[in-house]
Structures are given as structure tokens and as C-alpha cells.
């Protein structure tokens, strides 16, 4: 809701300052490109963190909320210490993905004492590909609308 108010204020200011009404859709597309770039940046950051991990085996323990996170995540036991997953746990297929006492192959990120399970790795890879394609396509569309392409 706040985003709509901000967009309305920016559009009203642009129109009051003498901008043409045709600029409004272009401004909204630029905002969309910036948001897509932010999402792509998140997946690049996650991929860099994933690249700095080492492969370990861990046993699934429970699903709960880590103290520094705002979402439920899976917890794994690695060498008698409990590590939380870096990504939120899957809600829909929870019973099929997280089997108690099963040993999983994980990627351990020692700086934050977190792991990346296979679900998180797939999310990062798909997120990189899809958000990258979305950014490129939206930029090309914006350039076409502006008339530079």
C-alpha cells in the first residue's frame, strides 16, 4: 500500500512539474527494472555465498525459527552442532523434503554457521537464471518503448 502512495506522489509531482503524461508508464517501467535488478542482486549475493561453502553431510533435526531470522527454516545437525538453513523451508512439500533423521548432503557456510540444502541450491540457480532473463528482457522492452533500440 505504501508503494502505491509513493508512486502516486511521484507521478503527481512529475505532472505538476510539467512532465508529459506519456512519461508515467516509462517511470513505472524504470521502477520495475530497478526492482528486478535488486532481486537479481540478491541471487548473485546468494550464489557468491554458496560458492564459499564446503560440502558436508548433515542430519535433519527439526523445522523452526532461527533467532536471527523472520521465517521458519530447517535445522541440520553437523558434527554435534545444529545449523540452520540459509533459506526458508518449503511449506507445500515439507513432509517429502524434510524427513527426520535422514542424512543429507549440504553446503556449509562457516562464517554464519548456516547450511544450504539442495532446495536452497535449486532456488539460487533458478533465481539467477529467471531474474537475469527478466532483467534483460525488461531493459530491452524499456529501450524499445523509449525508442533507443
Amino acid at each position: 500500500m505504501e508503494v502505491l502512495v509513493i508512486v502516486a506522489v511521484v507521478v503527481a509531482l512529475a505532472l505538476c512539474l510539467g512532465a508529459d503524461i506519456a512519461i508515467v508508464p516509462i517511470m513505472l517501467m524504470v521502477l520495475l527494472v530497478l526492482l528486478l535488478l535488486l532481486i537479481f542482486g540478491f541471487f548473485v549475493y546468494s550464489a557468491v555465498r554458496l560458492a564459499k561453502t564446503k560440502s558436508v553431510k548433515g542430519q535433519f533435526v527439526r523445522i523452526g525459527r532461527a533467532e536471527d531470522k523472520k521465517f521458519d527454516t530447517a535445522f541440520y545437525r553437523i558434527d554435534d552442532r545444529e545449523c540452520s538453513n540459509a533459506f526458508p523451508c518449503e511449506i507445500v512439500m515439507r513432509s517429502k523434503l524434510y524427513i527426520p533423521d535422514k542424512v543429507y548432503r549440504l553446503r556449509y557456510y562457516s562464517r554464519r554457521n548456516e547450511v544450504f540444502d539442495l532446495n536452497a541450491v535449486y532456488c539460487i540457480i533458478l533465481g539467477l537464471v529467471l531474474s537475469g532473463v527478466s532483467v534483460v528482457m525488461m531493459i530491452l522492452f524499456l529501450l524499445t518503448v523509449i525508442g533507443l533500440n
Side-chain angles (χ1 to χ4, degrees):
M1 189 66 183
E2 293 85 9
V3 173
L4 292 176
V5 171
I6 292 171
V7 169
V9 168
V10 169
V11 168
L13 282 173
L15 292 176
C16 287
L17 293 173
D20 190 16
I21 194 75
I23 286 279
V24 173
I26 293 172
M27 287 175 27
L28 293 176
M29 283 191 280
V30 168
L31 178 66
L32 187 60
V33 168
L34 292 175
L35 290 175
L36 287 171
L37 282 170
L38 185 69
I39 292 169
F40 181 69
F42 166 74
F43 284 114
V44 168
Y45 170 73
S46 296
V48 168
R49 282 182 49 201
L50 183 62
K52 295 179 180 180
T53 61
K54 66 177 183 173
S55 183
V56 295
K57 291 195 182 222
Q59 184 178 21
F60 173 74
V61 179
R62 65 183 172 90
I63 291 177
R65 187 163 292 179
E67 57 190 47
D68 59 336
K69 296 183 181 167
K70 298 179 182 178
F71 50 81
D72 285 343
T73 185
F75 284 85
Y76 296 92
R77 179 169 291 119
I78 302 169
D79 299 332
D80 293 332
R81 67 180 182 274
E82 205 172 78
C83 302
S84 66
N85 193 3
F87 273 51
C89 66
E90 178 64 39
I91 296 171
V92 177
M93 296 178 53
R94 186 176 281 189
S95 62
K96 297 202 187 300
L97 291 175
Y98 306 109
I99 301 168
D101 300 326
K102 183 177 177 186
V103 176
Y104 291 91
R105 200 175 74 209
L106 307 166
R107 305 293 300 177
Y108 179 65
Y109 186 63
S110 58
R111 272 198 213 164
R112 295 186 59 182
N113 195 33
E114 290 180 332
V115 295
F116 291 89
D117 60 7
L118 197 57
N119 187 37
V121 172
Y122 286 151
C123 285
I124 291 170
I125 292 169
L126 283 173
L128 266 175
V129 171
L130 295 176
S131 64
V133 169
S134 297
V135 166
V136 170
M137 295 301 289
M138 195 63 195
I139 289 173
L140 289 175
F141 180 68
L142 181 63
L143 291 175
T144 302
V145 168
I146 292 173
L148 297 176
N149 193 5

